[in-house]
Amino acid sequence: VEGGVGRAALALEVLKAADMLQAEGLLKHCLEGFRGALTVHTVAEQLVWAHTRGPLEARAVATEYFIAHGRAVRVRQYGGRCDFL
């Protein structure tokens, strides 16, 4: 699991860098991966990331996914952080 988390974090950083460097092809590729990795278990966390540190395009992708699957998303908060079910 730890390796998957590290790869996911790296993928988000590459997505952010592609936007900052205006590398349109890389940005499009990263957004496709970002979209494909969204689940009802991860979308809330990724939506927060997209709004706080991600590019505008990632916000749109995460928002669209959340709107489409919002009824299935479960968020539980305790201990000062959110756990996504």
Side-chain angles (χ1 to χ4, degrees):
V1 173
E2 228 176 86
V5 171
R7 283 191 295 276
L10 179 59
L12 294 178
E13 290 305 314
V14 171
L15 173 58
K16 186 174 156 184
D19 178 55
M20 289 178 10
L21 297 172
Q22 298 179 350
E24 293 299 320
L26 180 58
L27 177 60
K28 184 178 177 181
H29 176 76
C30 291
L31 284 170
E32 289 172 10
F34 180 71
R35 179 180 289 113
L38 289 173
T39 70
V40 295
H41 304 288
T42 64
V43 68
E45 182 178 19
Q46 299 304 349
L47 188 57
V48 170
W49 173 84
H51 277 273
T52 57
R53 297 188 314 253
L56 181 61
E57 295 86 351
R59 291 179 213 167
V61 168
T63 299
E64 288 170 9
Y65 187 95
F66 189 86
I67 290 169
H69 301 92
R71 291 183 183 259
V73 173
R74 300 282 187 256
V75 180
R76 177 179 56 190
Q77 183 175 1
Y78 66 93
R81 59 183 283 258
C82 291
D83 282 356
F84 305 97
L85 307 174

Coordinates of all heavy atoms in Angstrom, one line a residue:
V1 N 0.8 -1.2 0.0 CA 0.0 0.0 0.0 C 0.9 1.3 0.0 O 0.6 2.2 -0.7 CB -1.0 0.0 1.2 CG1 -1.7 1.3 1.3 CG2 -1.9 -1.2 1.1
E2 N 1.9 1.2 0.8 CA 2.8 2.4 0.9 C 3.4 2.8 -0.5 O 3.4 4.0 -0.8 CB 3.9 2.2 1.9 CG 4.1 3.3 2.9 CD 5.2 3.0 3.9 OE1 6.3 3.2 3.6 OE2 4.8 2.4 4.9
G3 N 3.8 1.8 -1.3 CA 4.3 2.1 -2.6 C 3.2 2.8 -3.5 O 3.5 3.7 -4.3
G4 N 2.0 2.3 -3.4 CA 0.9 2.9 -4.1 C 0.6 4.3 -3.7 O 0.3 5.2 -4.6
V5 N 0.7 4.6 -2.4 CA 0.5 5.9 -1.9 C 1.6 6.8 -2.4 O 1.3 8.0 -2.8 CB 0.4 5.9 -0.4 CG1 0.4 7.3 0.2 CG2 -0.8 5.2 0.1
G6 N 2.8 6.4 -2.4 CA 3.9 7.2 -2.9 C 3.8 7.5 -4.4 O 4.1 8.6 -4.8
R7 N 3.4 6.5 -5.2 CA 3.2 6.7 -6.6 C 2.1 7.6 -6.8 O 2.2 8.5 -7.7 CB 2.9 5.3 -7.3 CG 4.2 4.5 -7.5 CD 3.9 3.3 -8.4 NE 2.9 2.4 -7.9 CZ 3.2 1.4 -7.1 NH1 4.5 1.2 -6.7 NH2 2.3 0.6 -6.6
A8 N 1.0 7.6 -6.1 CA -0.1 8.5 -6.2 C 0.3 9.9 -5.9 O -0.1 10.8 -6.6 CB -1.3 8.0 -5.3
A9 N 1.1 10.1 -4.9 CA 1.5 11.4 -4.5 C 2.5 12.0 -5.6 O 2.4 13.1 -6.0 CB 2.3 11.4 -3.2
L10 N 3.3 11.1 -6.1 CA 4.2 11.5 -7.2 C 3.4 11.9 -8.5 O 3.7 12.9 -9.1 CB 5.2 10.4 -7.5 CG 6.2 10.7 -8.7 CD1 7.0 12.0 -8.3 CD2 7.1 9.5 -8.9
A11 N 2.4 11.1 -8.8 CA 1.6 11.4 -9.9 C 0.9 12.8 -9.8 O 0.8 13.6 -10.7 CB 0.5 10.4 -10.1
L12 N 0.5 13.1 -8.6 CA -0.2 14.5 -8.3 C 0.9 15.6 -8.5 O 0.5 16.6 -9.1 CB -0.8 14.5 -6.9 CG -2.0 13.6 -6.7 CD1 -2.4 13.7 -5.2 CD2 -3.1 13.9 -7.6
E13 N 2.1 15.3 -8.1 CA 3.1 16.4 -8.2 C 3.5 16.6 -9.7 O 3.7 17.7 -10.1 CB 4.4 16.0 -7.4 CG 4.1 16.1 -5.9 CD 3.6 17.5 -5.5 OE1 4.2 18.5 -6.0 OE2 2.7 17.6 -4.7
V14 N 3.5 15.5 -10.5 CA 3.8 15.6 -11.9 C 2.7 16.3 -12.6 O 2.9 17.2 -13.5 CB 4.0 14.2 -12.6 CG1 4.1 14.3 -14.1 CG2 5.3 13.5 -12.0
L15 N 1.4 16.0 -12.2 CA 0.3 16.8 -12.7 C 0.4 18.3 -12.5 O 0.2 19.1 -13.4 CB -1.0 16.2 -12.1 CG -2.3 16.9 -12.4 CD1 -2.6 17.0 -13.9 CD2 -3.5 16.2 -11.7
K16 N 0.7 18.6 -11.3 CA 0.9 20.0 -10.9 C 2.0 20.7 -11.7 O 1.9 21.8 -12.2 CB 1.2 20.1 -9.4 CG 1.3 21.5 -8.8 CD 1.4 21.3 -7.3 CE 2.0 22.5 -6.7 NZ 2.2 22.3 -5.2
A17 N 3.2 19.9 -11.8 CA 4.3 20.5 -12.6 C 4.0 20.6 -14.1 O 4.4 21.6 -14.7 CB 5.5 19.5 -12.4
A18 N 3.2 19.7 -14.6 CA 2.8 19.8 -16.0 C 2.0 21.1 -16.3 O 2.2 21.8 -17.3 CB 2.0 18.6 -16.5
D19 N 1.1 21.4 -15.3 CA 0.3 22.6 -15.4 C 1.2 23.8 -15.3 O 1.1 24.8 -16.1 CB -0.7 22.6 -14.3 CG -1.6 23.9 -14.4 OD1 -2.1 24.2 -15.4 OD2 -1.6 24.6 -13.3
M20 N 2.1 23.9 -14.3 CA 3.0 25.0 -14.1 C 3.9 25.2 -15.3 O 4.2 26.4 -15.7 CB 3.8 24.8 -12.8 CG 3.0 25.0 -11.6 SD 3.8 24.7 -10.0 CE 5.5 24.7 -10.3
L21 N 4.4 24.2 -15.9 CA 5.3 24.3 -17.1 C 4.6 24.4 -18.4 O 5.2 24.6 -19.4 CB 6.2 23.1 -17.1 CG 7.1 22.9 -15.9 CD1 7.9 21.5 -16.0 CD2 8.1 24.0 -15.9
Q22 N 3.3 24.5 -18.3 CA 2.4 24.6 -19.5 C 2.7 23.5 -20.5 O 2.8 23.8 -21.7 CB 2.5 26.0 -20.1 CG 2.0 27.0 -19.1 CD 2.1 28.4 -19.7 OE1 2.7 28.7 -20.7 NE2 1.5 29.4 -19.0
A23 N 3.0 22.3 -20.1 CA 3.3 21.1 -20.9 C 1.9 20.5 -21.2 O 1.5 19.6 -20.5 CB 4.2 20.2 -20.3
E24 N 1.2 21.0 -22.3 CA -0.2 20.6 -22.5 C -0.3 19.1 -22.7 O -1.2 18.5 -22.2 CB -0.7 21.3 -23.7 CG -0.9 22.8 -23.5 CD -1.8 23.1 -22.4 OE1 -2.9 22.5 -22.3 OE2 -1.6 24.1 -21.6
G25 N 0.6 18.4 -23.5 CA 0.5 17.0 -23.7 C 0.6 16.2 -22.4 O -0.1 15.3 -22.2
L26 N 1.6 16.6 -21.6 CA 1.8 15.9 -20.3 C 0.7 16.2 -19.4 O 0.2 15.3 -18.7 CB 3.1 16.4 -19.7 CG 3.5 15.7 -18.3 CD1 3.6 14.2 -18.5 CD2 4.8 16.3 -17.8
L27 N 0.2 17.4 -19.4 CA -1.0 17.7 -18.5 C -2.2 16.9 -18.9 O -2.8 16.3 -18.0 CB -1.3 19.2 -18.6 CG -2.5 19.7 -17.8 CD1 -2.3 19.5 -16.3 CD2 -2.8 21.2 -18.1
K28 N -2.5 16.8 -20.2 CA -3.6 16.0 -20.6 C -3.4 14.5 -20.2 O -4.3 13.9 -19.7 CB -3.7 16.1 -22.2 CG -4.9 15.3 -22.7 CD -5.1 15.5 -24.2 CE -6.2 14.7 -24.7 NZ -6.4 14.9 -26.2
H29 N -2.2 14.0 -20.4 CA -1.9 12.6 -20.0 C -2.1 12.4 -18.5 O -2.7 11.4 -18.1 CB -0.5 12.2 -20.4 CG -0.1 10.9 -20.0 ND1 -0.5 9.7 -20.6 CD2 0.7 10.5 -18.9 CE1 0.0 8.7 -20.0 NE2 0.8 9.1 -19.0
C30 N -1.6 13.3 -17.7 CA -1.7 13.2 -16.3 C -3.2 13.4 -15.8 O -3.6 12.7 -14.9 CB -0.9 14.3 -15.6 SG 0.9 14.1 -15.7
L31 N -4.0 14.2 -16.5 CA -5.4 14.4 -16.1 C -6.2 13.1 -16.4 O -7.1 12.7 -15.7 CB -6.0 15.6 -16.9 CG -5.6 16.9 -16.3 CD1 -6.1 18.0 -17.3 CD2 -6.2 17.1 -14.9
E32 N -5.8 12.4 -17.5 CA -6.4 11.1 -17.8 C -6.2 10.1 -16.7 O -7.1 9.4 -16.3 CB -6.0 10.6 -19.1 CG -6.5 11.4 -20.3 CD -5.9 11.0 -21.6 OE1 -5.2 10.0 -21.7 OE2 -6.1 11.7 -22.6
G33 N -4.9 10.1 -16.2 CA -4.6 9.2 -15.1 C -5.3 9.6 -13.8 O -5.7 8.7 -13.1
F34 N -5.3 10.9 -13.6 CA -6.0 11.4 -12.4 C -7.5 11.0 -12.4 O -8.0 10.5 -11.4 CB -5.9 12.9 -12.4 CG -6.5 13.6 -11.2 CD1 -6.0 13.5 -9.9 CD2 -7.6 14.4 -11.4 CE1 -6.6 14.2 -8.8 CE2 -8.2 15.1 -10.3 CZ -7.7 14.9 -9.0
R35 N -8.1 11.2 -13.6 CA -9.5 10.8 -13.7 C -9.7 9.3 -13.5 O -10.6 8.9 -12.8 CB -10.0 11.2 -15.1 CG -11.5 10.9 -15.4 CD -11.9 11.3 -16.8 NE -12.1 12.8 -16.9 CZ -11.3 13.5 -17.6 NH1 -10.3 13.0 -18.3 NH2 -11.5 14.8 -17.6
G36 N -8.9 8.5 -14.1 CA -9.0 7.1 -14.0 C -8.7 6.6 -12.6 O -9.2 5.5 -12.2
A37 N -8.0 7.3 -11.8 CA -7.7 6.9 -10.4 C -8.8 7.3 -9.4 O -8.7 6.8 -8.2 CB -6.3 7.4 -10.0
L38 N -9.7 8.2 -9.8 CA -10.7 8.6 -8.8 C -11.7 7.5 -8.5 O -12.1 6.8 -9.4 CB -11.5 9.8 -9.4 CG -10.7 11.1 -9.5 CD1 -11.5 12.2 -10.2 CD2 -10.3 11.6 -8.1
T39 N -12.0 7.4 -7.3 CA -13.0 6.4 -6.8 C -13.9 7.1 -5.8 O -13.5 8.2 -5.3 CB -12.4 5.2 -6.2 OG1 -11.8 5.5 -4.9 CG2 -11.4 4.5 -7.0
V40 N -15.0 6.5 -5.4 CA -15.8 7.1 -4.4 C -15.1 7.1 -3.0 O -15.5 7.9 -2.1 CB -17.2 6.3 -4.2 CG1 -18.0 6.5 -5.5 CG2 -17.0 4.9 -3.8
H41 N -14.0 6.3 -2.9 CA -13.2 6.3 -1.7 C -12.1 7.4 -1.7 O -11.6 7.8 -0.6 CB -12.6 5.0 -1.5 CG -13.5 3.8 -1.5 ND1 -14.4 3.6 -0.4 CD2 -13.8 2.9 -2.4 CE1 -15.2 2.6 -0.7 NE2 -14.8 2.1 -1.9
T42 N -11.7 7.9 -2.9 CA -10.6 8.9 -2.9 C -11.0 10.2 -3.4 O -10.3 11.2 -3.3 CB -9.5 8.3 -3.9 OG1 -10.1 8.3 -5.2 CG2 -9.0 7.0 -3.4
V43 N -12.2 10.4 -4.0 CA -12.6 11.7 -4.6 C -12.6 12.8 -3.7 O -12.2 13.9 -4.0 CB -13.9 11.5 -5.4 CG1 -15.1 11.4 -4.5 CG2 -14.1 12.7 -6.3
A44 N -13.1 12.7 -2.4 CA -13.1 13.8 -1.5 C -11.7 14.3 -1.2 O -11.5 15.5 -1.3 CB -13.8 13.4 -0.2
E45 N -10.8 13.4 -0.9 CA -9.4 13.8 -0.7 C -8.8 14.5 -1.9 O -8.1 15.5 -1.8 CB -8.6 12.6 -0.2 CG -7.2 12.9 0.1 CD -6.4 11.7 0.6 OE1 -6.8 10.6 0.3 OE2 -5.4 11.9 1.2
Q46 N -9.0 13.9 -3.1 CA -8.4 14.5 -4.3 C -9.1 15.8 -4.7 O -8.4 16.7 -5.2 CB -8.6 13.5 -5.5 CG -7.9 12.1 -5.2 CD -6.4 12.3 -4.9 OE1 -5.8 13.4 -5.1 NE2 -5.8 11.2 -4.5
L47 N -10.3 16.0 -4.3 CA -11.0 17.2 -4.6 C -10.4 18.3 -3.7 O -10.1 19.4 -4.2 CB -12.5 17.1 -4.3 CG -13.4 18.3 -4.7 CD1 -13.3 18.6 -6.1 CD2 -14.9 17.9 -4.3
V48 N -10.1 18.0 -2.5 CA -9.4 19.0 -1.6 C -8.1 19.3 -2.1 O -7.7 20.5 -2.2 CB -9.3 18.4 -0.1 CG1 -8.4 19.3 0.7 CG2 -10.7 18.3 0.5
W49 N -7.3 18.3 -2.6 CA -6.0 18.5 -3.2 C -6.1 19.4 -4.4 O -5.3 20.4 -4.5 CB -5.3 17.2 -3.5 CG -4.0 17.5 -4.3 CD1 -2.8 17.7 -3.8 CD2 -3.9 17.6 -5.7 NE1 -1.9 17.9 -4.8 CE2 -2.5 17.9 -6.0 CE3 -4.7 17.4 -6.8 CZ2 -2.0 18.0 -7.3 CZ3 -4.2 17.6 -8.1 CH2 -2.9 17.9 -8.3
A50 N -7.0 19.1 -5.2 CA -7.2 19.9 -6.5 C -7.5 21.3 -6.2 O -7.0 22.2 -6.9 CB -8.3 19.3 -7.3
H51 N -8.3 21.6 -5.2 CA -8.7 23.0 -4.8 C -7.6 23.7 -4.1 O -7.5 24.9 -4.1 CB -10.0 23.0 -4.0 CG -11.2 22.9 -4.9 ND1 -11.8 24.1 -5.5 CD2 -11.9 21.9 -5.4 CE1 -12.8 23.7 -6.2 NE2 -12.9 22.4 -6.2
T52 N -6.8 23.0 -3.3 CA -5.7 23.7 -2.6 C -4.4 23.8 -3.3 O -3.7 24.8 -3.1 CB -5.5 23.0 -1.2 OG1 -5.2 21.7 -1.4 CG2 -6.8 23.1 -0.4
R53 N -4.0 22.7 -4.1 CA -2.7 22.7 -4.7 C -2.7 22.3 -6.1 O -1.7 22.5 -6.8 CB -1.8 21.8 -3.9 CG -1.6 22.2 -2.5 CD -0.5 21.3 -1.8 NE -0.7 19.9 -2.0 CZ -1.2 19.0 -1.1 NH1 -1.5 19.5 0.1 NH2 -1.3 17.8 -1.4
G54 N -3.8 21.9 -6.7 CA -3.8 21.3 -8.0 C -4.2 22.4 -9.1 O -4.6 23.5 -8.7
P55 N -4.0 22.0 -10.3 CA -4.4 22.9 -11.4 C -5.9 23.0 -11.6 O -6.6 22.1 -11.1 CB -3.7 22.3 -12.6 CG -3.6 20.8 -12.3 CD -3.4 20.8 -10.8
L56 N -6.3 24.0 -12.2 CA -7.8 24.2 -12.5 C -8.4 23.0 -13.1 O -9.5 22.6 -12.8 CB -7.9 25.5 -13.3 CG -9.4 25.9 -13.6 CD1 -10.1 26.2 -12.4 CD2 -9.4 27.1 -14.6
E57 N -7.7 22.4 -14.1 CA -8.3 21.3 -14.8 C -8.5 20.1 -13.9 O -9.5 19.4 -14.0 CB -7.3 20.8 -15.9 CG -7.1 21.8 -17.0 CD -6.0 22.9 -16.7 OE1 -5.5 22.9 -15.6 OE2 -5.7 23.7 -17.7
A58 N -7.7 19.9 -12.9 CA -7.9 18.8 -11.9 C -9.1 19.1 -11.0 O -9.8 18.2 -10.7 CB -6.6 18.6 -11.0
R59 N -9.3 20.4 -10.7 CA -10.5 20.7 -9.9 C -11.8 20.4 -10.7 O -12.7 19.8 -10.1 CB -10.5 22.2 -9.7 CG -9.5 22.7 -8.7 CD -9.5 24.2 -8.5 NE -8.2 24.7 -8.3 CZ -7.8 25.9 -8.3 NH1 -8.7 26.8 -8.6 NH2 -6.6 26.2 -8.1
A60 N -11.7 20.7 -12.0 CA -12.9 20.4 -12.8 C -13.2 18.8 -12.9 O -14.3 18.4 -12.8 CB -12.7 20.9 -14.2
V61 N -12.1 18.1 -13.1 CA -12.2 16.6 -13.2 C -12.8 16.0 -11.9 O -13.7 15.3 -11.9 CB -10.9 16.0 -13.5 CG1 -10.9 14.5 -13.3 CG2 -10.5 16.3 -15.0
A62 N -12.2 16.5 -10.7 CA -12.6 15.9 -9.5 C -14.0 16.4 -9.1 O -14.8 15.6 -8.6 CB -11.7 16.4 -8.4
T63 N -14.4 17.6 -9.5 CA -15.7 18.1 -9.2 C -16.8 17.4 -10.0 O -17.8 17.0 -9.5 CB -15.8 19.6 -9.5 OG1 -14.9 20.3 -8.7 CG2 -17.2 20.2 -9.3
E64 N -16.5 17.1 -11.3 CA -17.4 16.4 -12.2 C -17.6 15.0 -11.6 O -18.7 14.5 -11.6 CB -16.8 16.3 -13.6 CG -16.9 17.6 -14.3 CD -16.1 17.5 -15.7 OE1 -15.7 16.4 -16.1 OE2 -15.9 18.6 -16.3
Y65 N -16.5 14.3 -11.2 CA -16.6 13.0 -10.6 C -17.5 13.0 -9.3 O -18.4 12.2 -9.1 CB -15.3 12.4 -10.3 CG -15.3 10.9 -9.9 CD1 -15.1 9.9 -10.8 CD2 -15.6 10.6 -8.6 CE1 -15.2 8.6 -10.5 CE2 -15.7 9.2 -8.2 CZ -15.5 8.3 -9.2 OH -15.6 6.9 -8.8
F66 N -17.2 14.0 -8.5 CA -18.0 14.1 -7.2 C -19.5 14.3 -7.5 O -20.3 13.7 -6.9 CB -17.4 15.2 -6.3 CG -18.0 15.2 -5.0 CD1 -17.5 14.4 -4.0 CD2 -19.1 16.0 -4.7 CE1 -18.0 14.4 -2.7 CE2 -19.7 16.0 -3.4 CZ -19.1 15.2 -2.4
I67 N -19.8 15.1 -8.4 CA -21.2 15.4 -8.8 C -21.8 14.1 -9.3 O -23.0 13.8 -8.9 CB -21.3 16.6 -9.8 CG1 -20.9 17.9 -9.1 CG2 -22.7 16.6 -10.4 CD1 -20.8 19.1 -10.1
A68 N -21.1 13.4 -10.2 CA -21.7 12.2 -10.7 C -21.9 11.1 -9.7 O -22.7 10.2 -9.9 CB -20.8 11.7 -11.9
H69 N -21.0 11.0 -8.7 CA -21.0 9.9 -7.8 C -21.2 10.3 -6.3 O -21.0 9.5 -5.4 CB -19.6 9.1 -7.9 CG -19.4 8.6 -9.3 ND1 -18.7 9.3 -10.2 CD2 -19.7 7.4 -9.9 CE1 -18.6 8.6 -11.3 NE2 -19.2 7.5 -11.1
G70 N -21.7 11.5 -6.1 CA -21.8 12.1 -4.8 C -22.6 11.2 -3.8 O -22.2 11.2 -2.6
R71 N -23.6 10.6 -4.2 CA -24.4 9.8 -3.3 C -23.7 8.6 -2.8 O -24.0 8.1 -1.7 CB -25.7 9.3 -4.0 CG -26.7 10.4 -4.3 CD -28.0 9.9 -4.9 NE -28.9 11.0 -5.2 CZ -29.9 11.3 -4.4 NH1 -30.1 10.6 -3.3 NH2 -30.7 12.3 -4.7
A72 N -22.7 8.1 -3.5 CA -21.9 6.9 -3.1 C -20.7 7.3 -2.2 O -20.1 6.4 -1.6 CB -21.4 6.1 -4.3
V73 N -20.3 8.6 -2.2 CA -19.2 9.0 -1.5 C -19.5 9.1 0.0 O -20.5 9.6 0.5 CB -18.7 10.4 -1.9 CG1 -17.6 11.0 -1.0 CG2 -18.3 10.4 -3.4
R74 N -18.6 8.5 0.8 CA -18.7 8.5 2.3 C -17.5 9.1 2.9 O -16.4 8.6 2.6 CB -18.9 7.0 2.8 CG -20.1 6.3 2.2 CD -21.4 6.8 2.9 NE -22.5 6.0 2.5 CZ -23.4 6.4 1.7 NH1 -23.3 7.6 1.2 NH2 -24.4 5.6 1.4
V75 N -17.7 10.1 3.7 CA -16.6 10.7 4.4 C -16.9 10.7 5.9 O -18.0 11.0 6.4 CB -16.4 12.2 4.0 CG1 -15.3 12.8 4.7 CG2 -16.2 12.3 2.5
R76 N -15.9 10.2 6.7 CA -16.1 10.1 8.1 C -14.9 10.9 8.8 O -13.8 10.7 8.4 CB -16.0 8.7 8.6 CG -16.1 8.5 10.1 CD -16.0 7.1 10.5 NE -14.8 6.5 10.0 CZ -14.6 5.1 10.0 NH1 -15.5 4.3 10.5 NH2 -13.5 4.7 9.5
Q77 N -15.3 11.9 9.6 CA -14.2 12.7 10.3 C -14.1 12.3 11.7 O -15.1 12.1 12.4 CB -14.6 14.2 10.2 CG -13.5 15.0 10.8 CD -13.8 16.5 10.6 OE1 -14.8 16.9 10.0 NE2 -12.9 17.3 11.0
Y78 N -12.8 12.1 12.1 CA -12.5 11.9 13.5 C -11.1 12.2 13.7 O -10.3 12.1 12.8 CB -12.9 10.5 14.0 CG -12.1 9.4 13.4 CD1 -10.9 8.9 14.1 CD2 -12.4 8.8 12.2 CE1 -10.2 7.9 13.6 CE2 -11.7 7.8 11.7 CZ -10.6 7.3 12.4 OH -9.8 6.3 11.9
G79 N -10.7 12.6 14.9 CA -9.3 12.8 15.3 C -8.7 14.0 14.5 O -7.5 14.0 14.2
G80 N -9.5 14.9 14.0 CA -9.0 16.1 13.3 C -8.6 15.8 11.8 O -8.1 16.6 11.2
R81 N -9.0 14.6 11.3 CA -8.8 14.4 9.9 C -10.0 13.6 9.4 O -10.8 13.1 10.1 CB -7.5 13.6 9.7 CG -7.4 12.3 10.4 CD -6.1 11.6 10.2 NE -6.0 11.0 8.9 CZ -6.1 9.7 8.7 NH1 -6.3 8.9 9.7 NH2 -6.0 9.2 7.5
C82 N -10.0 13.5 8.1 CA -11.1 12.8 7.5 C -10.6 11.4 7.0 O -9.6 11.3 6.5 CB -11.7 13.5 6.3 SG -12.5 15.1 6.7
D83 N -11.4 10.4 7.2 CA -11.2 9.1 6.6 C -12.3 8.9 5.6 O -13.5 9.1 5.8 CB -11.3 8.0 7.7 CG -10.0 7.9 8.5 OD1 -9.1 8.7 8.2 OD2 -10.0 7.1 9.5
F84 N -11.9 8.4 4.5 CA -12.8 8.2 3.3 C -13.1 6.8 3.2 O -12.3 5.9 3.1 CB -12.1 8.8 2.1 CG -11.7 10.2 2.2 CD1 -10.4 10.5 2.6 CD2 -12.6 11.2 2.1 CE1 -10.0 11.8 2.8 CE2 -12.2 12.5 2.3 CZ -10.9 12.8 2.6
L85 N -14.4 6.5 3.3 CA -14.9 5.1 3.3 C -15.1 4.6 1.9 O -15.4 5.3 1.0 CB -16.2 5.0 4.1 CG -16.1 5.5 5.5 CD1 -17.5 5.5 6.1 CD2 -15.1 4.8 6.4

